Amino acid sequence: MRLPSSRGALWAACVLWCALGLWHALVQPLFTLQRLEWLSDDLRTRALASAARTPHPDIVIVDIDEDSLRDIGHWPWSRDHLADLVRELFERQHVAALGFDLVFAEPDAASLRELERLAQHDGALRQRLPAWRAALDHDPALAEALKGRPAVLGWYLSTDRGGARNGRLPAPWAHVPGHADTPAWPHWNGYGANLPEFAAAAPRAGFFNALIDDDGVVRSVAAVGRLDDGLYDSLALALWRCATGDPQPEPRWRTYPGQAGALELEAIDYRHAGETSVRRLRLDARGGLRVPFRGQ
Protein backbone atom coordinates (compact mmCIF):
# COMPACT_ATOMS: atom_id res chain seq x y z
CA MET A 1 0.00 0.00 0.00
CA ARG A 2 1.42 3.35 -1.00
CA LEU A 3 1.49 6.03 1.68
CA PRO A 4 -0.01 9.43 0.88
CA SER A 5 2.62 11.99 -0.02
CA SER A 6 2.15 13.96 3.25
CA ARG A 7 2.68 10.88 5.39
CA GLY A 8 5.61 9.82 3.25
CA ALA A 9 7.22 13.22 3.72
CA LEU A 10 6.65 12.97 7.46
CA TRP A 11 8.30 9.56 7.61
CA ALA A 12 11.20 10.78 5.49
CA ALA A 13 11.67 13.76 7.81
CA CYS A 14 11.64 11.46 10.86
CA VAL A 15 14.23 9.16 9.30
CA LEU A 16 16.39 12.15 8.39
CA TRP A 17 16.23 13.60 11.92
CA CYS A 18 17.04 10.21 13.43
CA ALA A 19 20.03 9.83 11.12
CA LEU A 20 21.24 13.34 11.94
CA GLY A 21 20.76 12.67 15.66
CA LEU A 22 22.77 9.46 15.49
CA TRP A 23 25.54 11.18 13.54
CA HIS A 24 25.54 14.05 16.04
CA ALA A 25 25.71 11.72 19.04
CA LEU A 26 28.09 9.05 17.76
CA VAL A 27 30.29 10.45 15.00
CA GLN A 28 30.63 14.25 14.80
CA PRO A 29 28.58 16.94 16.57
CA LEU A 30 26.55 19.05 14.15
CA PHE A 31 26.63 22.77 14.94
CA THR A 32 22.90 23.38 14.33
CA LEU A 33 21.85 20.51 16.57
CA GLN A 34 24.45 21.59 19.10
CA ARG A 35 22.95 25.09 19.20
CA LEU A 36 19.47 23.65 19.72
CA GLU A 37 20.81 21.47 22.52
CA TRP A 38 22.48 24.48 24.16
CA LEU A 39 19.30 26.54 23.81
CA SER A 40 17.15 23.91 25.51
CA ASP A 41 19.76 23.49 28.25
CA ASP A 42 19.91 27.26 28.84
CA LEU A 43 16.11 27.48 29.10
CA ARG A 44 16.05 24.63 31.62
CA THR A 45 18.88 26.19 33.66
CA ARG A 46 17.12 29.57 33.79
CA ALA A 47 13.86 27.93 34.88
CA LEU A 48 15.59 26.01 37.68
CA ALA A 49 17.60 29.06 38.76
CA SER A 50 14.48 31.22 39.06
CA ALA A 51 12.94 28.62 41.37
CA ALA A 52 16.02 28.28 43.62
CA ARG A 53 17.77 31.60 44.18
CA THR A 54 18.50 31.08 47.87
CA PRO A 55 22.13 30.32 48.79
CA HIS A 56 23.07 26.75 49.61
CA PRO A 57 23.09 26.43 53.42
CA ASP A 58 26.33 24.43 53.51
CA ILE A 59 28.43 26.64 51.21
CA VAL A 60 29.83 30.10 51.99
CA ILE A 61 31.93 32.15 49.57
CA VAL A 62 34.45 34.52 51.15
CA ASP A 63 34.72 36.91 48.24
CA ILE A 64 37.58 39.29 47.48
CA ASP A 65 35.15 41.99 46.36
CA GLU A 66 35.19 45.77 46.11
CA ASP A 67 34.08 46.21 49.73
CA SER A 68 36.86 44.02 51.13
CA LEU A 69 39.45 45.68 48.90
CA ARG A 70 38.32 49.08 50.17
CA ASP A 71 38.43 47.97 53.83
CA ILE A 72 41.63 45.87 53.79
CA GLY A 73 43.61 47.23 50.88
CA HIS A 74 44.58 46.32 47.35
CA TRP A 75 45.28 42.75 46.30
CA PRO A 76 47.43 40.81 46.96
CA TRP A 77 46.89 40.94 50.70
CA SER A 78 49.74 40.18 53.07
CA ARG A 79 50.09 36.48 53.84
CA ASP A 80 49.90 37.14 57.59
CA HIS A 81 46.42 38.58 57.03
CA LEU A 82 45.45 35.48 55.08
CA ALA A 83 46.85 33.35 57.91
CA ASP A 84 44.57 35.21 60.35
CA LEU A 85 41.62 34.54 58.03
CA VAL A 86 42.44 30.82 57.84
CA ARG A 87 42.62 30.56 61.63
CA GLU A 88 39.34 32.44 61.98
CA LEU A 89 37.54 30.10 59.61
CA PHE A 90 38.83 26.91 61.20
CA GLU A 91 39.08 27.83 64.88
CA ARG A 92 36.01 30.03 65.34
CA GLN A 93 33.76 29.32 62.35
CA HIS A 94 34.53 25.56 62.36
CA VAL A 95 34.34 25.10 58.60
CA ALA A 96 34.42 21.50 57.37
CA ALA A 97 36.81 22.36 54.54
CA LEU A 98 38.31 25.47 52.99
CA GLY A 99 39.18 25.93 49.33
CA PHE A 100 41.22 28.69 47.65
CA ASP A 101 40.38 29.57 44.04
CA LEU A 102 43.67 31.41 43.76
CA VAL A 103 47.32 30.42 43.50
CA PHE A 104 50.15 31.22 45.91
CA ALA A 105 52.73 31.09 43.14
CA GLU A 106 55.22 33.70 44.37
CA PRO A 107 56.72 34.62 47.74
CA ASP A 108 55.06 37.34 49.79
CA ALA A 109 58.07 39.61 49.38
CA ALA A 110 57.05 42.84 47.64
CA SER A 111 58.29 44.99 50.53
CA LEU A 112 61.41 42.87 50.89
CA ARG A 113 62.34 43.26 47.23
CA GLU A 114 62.13 47.03 47.55
CA LEU A 115 64.38 46.96 50.63
CA GLU A 116 66.89 44.74 48.84
CA ARG A 117 66.98 47.20 45.96
CA LEU A 118 67.64 50.09 48.34
CA ALA A 119 70.23 48.09 50.28
CA GLN A 120 72.40 47.82 47.19
CA HIS A 121 73.32 51.49 47.69
CA ASP A 122 73.18 51.74 51.50
CA GLY A 123 75.67 49.80 53.64
CA ALA A 124 73.84 50.41 56.93
CA LEU A 125 70.59 49.20 55.42
CA ARG A 126 72.36 46.17 54.00
CA GLN A 127 73.54 45.17 57.50
CA ARG A 128 70.00 45.28 58.90
CA LEU A 129 68.51 43.46 55.92
CA PRO A 130 68.69 39.89 57.40
CA ALA A 131 66.58 40.88 60.40
CA TRP A 132 64.06 42.70 58.22
CA ARG A 133 63.95 39.77 55.83
CA ALA A 134 62.75 37.51 58.64
CA ALA A 135 60.25 40.12 59.86
CA LEU A 136 58.73 40.74 56.43
CA ASP A 137 58.47 37.12 55.29
CA HIS A 138 54.87 36.15 56.11
CA ASP A 139 54.81 32.91 54.07
CA PRO A 140 55.73 30.72 57.10
CA ALA A 141 52.74 32.15 59.01
CA LEU A 142 50.31 31.12 56.28
CA ALA A 143 51.94 27.71 55.85
CA GLU A 144 51.66 27.10 59.59
CA ALA A 145 47.99 28.13 59.58
CA LEU A 146 47.27 25.65 56.76
CA LYS A 147 49.24 22.74 58.21
CA GLY A 148 47.11 19.77 59.28
CA ARG A 149 43.87 21.50 58.31
CA PRO A 150 41.26 20.38 55.72
CA ALA A 151 42.37 23.04 53.25
CA VAL A 152 42.44 22.70 49.46
CA LEU A 153 44.69 24.95 47.39
CA GLY A 154 43.95 26.05 43.86
CA TRP A 155 45.98 25.78 40.67
CA TYR A 156 45.32 26.01 36.94
CA LEU A 157 46.07 24.14 33.74
CA SER A 158 47.17 26.00 30.61
CA THR A 159 47.78 25.65 26.90
CA ASP A 160 48.84 29.21 26.07
CA ARG A 161 52.08 29.61 28.03
CA GLY A 162 54.43 27.54 25.89
CA GLY A 163 54.14 24.53 28.20
CA ALA A 164 55.45 26.49 31.22
CA ARG A 165 55.13 24.59 34.51
CA ASN A 166 55.51 26.43 37.80
CA GLY A 167 54.94 25.33 41.38
CA ARG A 168 54.28 21.94 42.91
CA LEU A 169 51.32 19.81 41.83
CA PRO A 170 49.40 17.38 44.03
CA ALA A 171 49.86 13.72 43.20
CA PRO A 172 47.47 12.48 40.47
CA TRP A 173 44.76 10.20 41.82
CA ALA A 174 44.94 7.89 38.78
CA HIS A 175 46.60 7.48 35.40
CA VAL A 176 45.17 6.98 31.93
CA PRO A 177 45.38 3.25 31.17
CA GLY A 178 48.11 2.31 28.73
CA HIS A 179 48.77 5.92 27.66
CA ALA A 180 45.48 5.86 25.73
CA ASP A 181 44.17 8.93 23.97
CA THR A 182 41.27 10.94 25.43
CA PRO A 183 40.31 12.85 22.27
CA ALA A 184 37.47 14.98 23.64
CA TRP A 185 39.42 16.29 26.63
CA PRO A 186 41.34 19.58 26.48
CA HIS A 187 45.01 18.90 25.79
CA TRP A 188 46.67 20.97 28.51
CA ASN A 189 50.47 21.05 28.53
CA GLY A 190 51.32 23.50 31.33
CA TYR A 191 50.23 24.61 34.76
CA GLY A 192 50.62 27.21 37.46
CA ALA A 193 50.65 25.81 41.00
CA ASN A 194 51.65 26.80 44.52
CA LEU A 195 55.02 27.30 46.16
CA PRO A 196 56.48 24.11 47.66
CA GLU A 197 56.06 25.27 51.28
CA PHE A 198 52.32 25.76 50.79
CA ALA A 199 51.93 22.51 48.86
CA ALA A 200 53.67 20.68 51.72
CA ALA A 201 51.45 22.35 54.35
CA ALA A 202 48.23 21.68 52.40
CA PRO A 203 48.86 18.77 50.01
CA ARG A 204 45.27 18.71 48.71
CA ALA A 205 44.75 20.88 45.65
CA GLY A 206 42.45 21.19 42.66
CA PHE A 207 42.49 23.10 39.38
CA PHE A 208 39.84 25.70 38.55
CA ASN A 209 39.57 25.72 34.75
CA ALA A 210 36.21 26.23 33.07
CA LEU A 211 35.10 24.62 29.81
CA ILE A 212 33.95 27.17 27.23
CA ASP A 213 31.48 26.01 24.60
CA ASP A 214 31.94 27.01 20.96
CA ASP A 215 29.41 29.84 21.32
CA GLY A 216 31.54 31.43 24.06
CA VAL A 217 29.27 30.49 26.98
CA VAL A 218 30.50 28.67 30.09
CA ARG A 219 28.02 25.91 30.93
CA SER A 220 30.41 23.32 32.32
CA VAL A 221 33.43 22.98 34.54
CA ALA A 222 36.11 20.37 34.17
CA ALA A 223 35.69 17.87 37.02
CA VAL A 224 38.75 15.86 36.06
CA GLY A 225 41.73 17.07 34.09
CA ARG A 226 44.55 15.25 32.35
CA LEU A 227 48.17 16.39 32.35
CA ASP A 228 50.58 13.99 30.67
CA ASP A 229 49.10 10.65 31.81
CA GLY A 230 47.92 11.77 35.25
CA LEU A 231 44.34 12.53 36.29
CA TYR A 232 43.69 15.44 38.66
CA ASP A 233 40.65 16.69 40.57
CA SER A 234 39.09 20.07 40.00
CA LEU A 235 39.00 22.42 42.98
CA ALA A 236 35.29 21.75 43.54
CA LEU A 237 35.76 18.00 43.42
CA ALA A 238 38.83 18.05 45.67
CA LEU A 239 36.98 20.26 48.15
CA TRP A 240 33.96 17.94 48.16
CA ARG A 241 36.19 14.93 48.82
CA CYS A 242 37.98 16.80 51.60
CA ALA A 243 34.69 17.78 53.30
CA THR A 244 33.09 14.32 53.04
CA GLY A 245 35.73 12.05 54.49
CA ASP A 246 37.95 11.55 51.43
CA PRO A 247 36.05 8.87 49.47
CA GLN A 248 38.39 6.99 47.14
CA PRO A 249 37.79 7.30 43.38
CA GLU A 250 37.40 4.37 41.00
CA PRO A 251 37.45 5.45 37.32
CA ARG A 252 35.03 3.85 34.86
CA TRP A 253 36.49 3.83 31.36
CA ARG A 254 34.87 2.89 28.07
CA THR A 255 36.00 2.87 24.45
CA TYR A 256 35.61 6.22 22.77
CA PRO A 257 32.96 5.96 20.01
CA GLY A 258 34.39 5.57 16.53
CA GLN A 259 38.09 5.80 17.44
CA ALA A 260 40.28 2.77 18.09
CA GLY A 261 42.75 3.02 20.95
CA ALA A 262 40.91 5.93 22.59
CA LEU A 263 39.12 5.97 25.93
CA GLU A 264 36.39 8.01 27.55
CA LEU A 265 35.97 8.45 31.30
CA GLU A 266 32.22 8.01 31.58
CA ALA A 267 32.01 8.08 35.39
CA ILE A 268 33.86 7.92 38.69
CA ASP A 269 32.68 5.77 41.59
CA TYR A 270 33.48 7.06 45.07
CA ARG A 271 33.65 4.71 48.01
CA HIS A 272 34.35 5.46 51.66
CA ALA A 273 36.68 3.14 53.54
CA GLY A 274 34.83 0.14 54.95
CA GLU A 275 31.65 0.78 52.94
CA THR A 276 30.26 -1.27 50.07
CA SER A 277 27.96 1.38 48.61
CA VAL A 278 29.34 3.78 46.01
CA ARG A 279 28.39 7.22 44.78
CA ARG A 280 28.69 7.55 41.02
CA LEU A 281 29.64 10.82 39.35
CA ARG A 282 28.81 10.80 35.64
CA LEU A 283 30.92 12.97 33.34
CA ASP A 284 30.54 14.29 29.83
CA ALA A 285 32.99 13.44 27.06
CA ARG A 286 35.32 16.29 28.13
CA GLY A 287 35.57 15.07 31.72
CA GLY A 288 33.25 17.88 32.77
CA LEU A 289 30.06 18.57 34.69
CA ARG A 290 27.16 20.81 33.74
CA VAL A 291 26.91 23.65 36.26
CA PRO A 292 23.44 23.98 37.86
CA PHE A 293 23.61 27.78 38.08
CA ARG A 294 21.32 29.17 40.79
CA GLY A 295 21.17 32.76 39.59
CA GLN A 296 22.19 35.91 41.44
Side-chain angles (χ1 to χ4, degrees):
M1 178 179 178
R2 184 177 181 181
L3 294 174
S5 59
S6 60
R7 294 183 63 187
L10 179 61
W11 277 101
C14 290
V15 171
L16 176 61
W17 275 107
C18 288
L20 290 174
L22 289 173
W23 183 276
H24 173 75
L26 300 178
V27 182
Q28 178 68 38
L30 301 174
F31 185 71
T32 301
L33 293 182
Q34 186 68 76
R35 291 297 297 266
L36 290 174
E37 184 178 335
W38 287 335
L39 176 60
S40 64
D41 187 72
D42 293 345
L43 292 173
R44 179 182 61 84
T45 298
R46 292 191 183 98
L48 293 176
S50 63
R53 289 186 178 271
T54 56
H56 195 288
D58 296 331
I59 300 174
V60 175
I61 297 176
V62 182
D63 195 12
I64 304 170
D65 57 9
E66 293 299 326
D67 291 337
S68 59
L69 292 175
R70 183 177 59 252
D71 294 341
I72 298 172
H74 66 82
W75 184 261
W77 295 336
S78 174
R79 300 273 165 83
D80 60 340
H81 178 77
L82 293 178
D84 291 339
L85 178 60
V86 169
R87 285 190 291 268
E88 166 70 20
L89 291 172
F90 282 115
E91 295 172 8
R92 292 190 56 199
Q93 306 300 330
H94 302 292
V95 298
L98 172 63
F100 292 87
D101 62 342
L102 49 88
V103 183
F104 301 117
E106 297 179 348
D108 181 20
S111 300
L112 180 60
R113 285 195 295 270
E114 181 63 17
L115 284 174
E116 289 174 339
R117 184 185 67 81
L118 295 173
Q120 294 176 0
H121 310 287
D122 189 322
L125 183 60
R126 190 160 51 247
Q127 291 180 356
R128 302 178 65 181
L129 191 59
W132 283 343
R133 182 180 286 113
L136 292 173
D137 184 7
H138 301 304
D139 287 348
L142 178 57
E144 185 63 28
L146 293 170
K147 190 177 301 182
R149 297 260 175 67
V152 181
L153 301 182
W155 59 285
Y156 62 87
L157 290 153
S158 63
T159 58
D160 59 349
R161 301 170 62 231
R165 303 184 175 199
N166 299 305
R168 180 185 295 179
L169 288 187
W173 59 265
H175 294 271
V176 179
H179 306 280
D181 189 18
T182 49
W185 282 17
H187 286 79
W188 286 301
N189 61 2
Y191 63 82
N194 297 278
L195 292 170
E197 53 264 46
F198 297 127
R204 299 173 184 267
F207 66 90
F208 44 74
N209 295 70
L211 296 175
I212 303 176
D213 290 328
D214 290 339
D215 61 351
V217 177
V218 175
R219 299 179 179 88
S220 303
V221 294
V224 179
R226 176 180 180 176
L227 182 67
D228 300 330
D229 289 317
L231 299 182
Y232 297 87
D233 282 338
S234 67
L235 178 62
L237 196 53
L239 187 58
W240 171 77
R241 290 180 61 192
C242 182
T244 57
D246 197 24
Q248 294 305 299
E250 301 174 14
R252 300 296 179 190
W253 296 94
R254 66 182 177 189
T255 302
Y256 189 81
Q259 188 166 336
L263 295 176
E264 181 178 71
L265 184 62
E266 61 174 333
I268 308 173
D269 288 346
Y270 291 94
R271 189 191 312 270
H272 285 89
E275 295 185 1
T276 57
S277 61
V278 299
R279 181 168 184 170
R280 177 161 293 185
L281 180 66
R282 296 193 179 277
L283 306 174
D284 64 21
R286 298 183 294 177
L289 292 170
R290 220 35 142 206
V291 179
F293 290 106
R294 298 173 67 89
Q296 297 180 346

